[in-house]
Amino acid sequence: QVPLTESGGGSVQTGGSLELSCRASGSVDCMGWFRQVPGKEREGIAHAHAGRMTEYEDSFKGRVTITHDSDKNTLSLQIDSVEPSDAAKYICAASGGLKCYLPSPARYNFWGQGTEVTVSS
């Protein structure tokens, strides 16, 4: 088991930028960000795999940037032009080895507790 710790949640103003960080307390090969709103399914945002290109889910392309540091086992997330619909619990995930080649979310073994983000007008 590799614990994951998310940070950076809180209140963000509409139109502002949201920045979150995730740190894995152990070596992992791939990491990703998801979010979930009560009553709705968990939604993938973006994914990173050491030595490979990052992947962005279609609905977030152009508005989201992730930065992966495979040496430090960290993954940051930035969402620009925040909208009220971006309010959610943001959850980090990670995995290692051959599982990283599976489609998301099946590739992930480890999940963080999540960090809450609220959006104010």
Side-chain angles (χ1 to χ4, degrees), residues 26-110:
S27 181
V28 293
D29 299 311
C30 57
M31 302 180 75
W33 278 104
F34 294 78
R35 71 183 187 185
Q36 188 162 25
V37 175
K40 293 188 177 181
E41 288 196 7
R42 185 177 55 204
E43 178 182 28
I45 301 173
H47 314 277
H49 187 177
R52 296 166 63 92
M53 291 181 65
T54 54
E55 306 168 44
Y56 293 93
E57 301 289 350
D58 288 345
S59 58
F60 293 96
K61 287 180 179 177
R63 200 165 66 92
V64 168
T65 304
I66 59 170
T67 303
H68 183 217
D69 188 328
S70 56
D71 290 332
K72 297 181 179 178
N73 295 300
T74 60
L75 184 70
S76 65
L77 169 70
Q78 179 173 321
I79 300 180
D80 297 321
S81 303
V82 168
E83 304 164 353
S85 59
D86 290 319
K89 176 182 281 189
Y90 285 75
I91 305 165
C92 178
S95 191
L98 294 177
K99 283 209 72 175
C100 288
Y101 292 92
L102 295 174
S104 172
R107 69 180 66 155
Y108 295 113
N109 278 333
F110 314 119

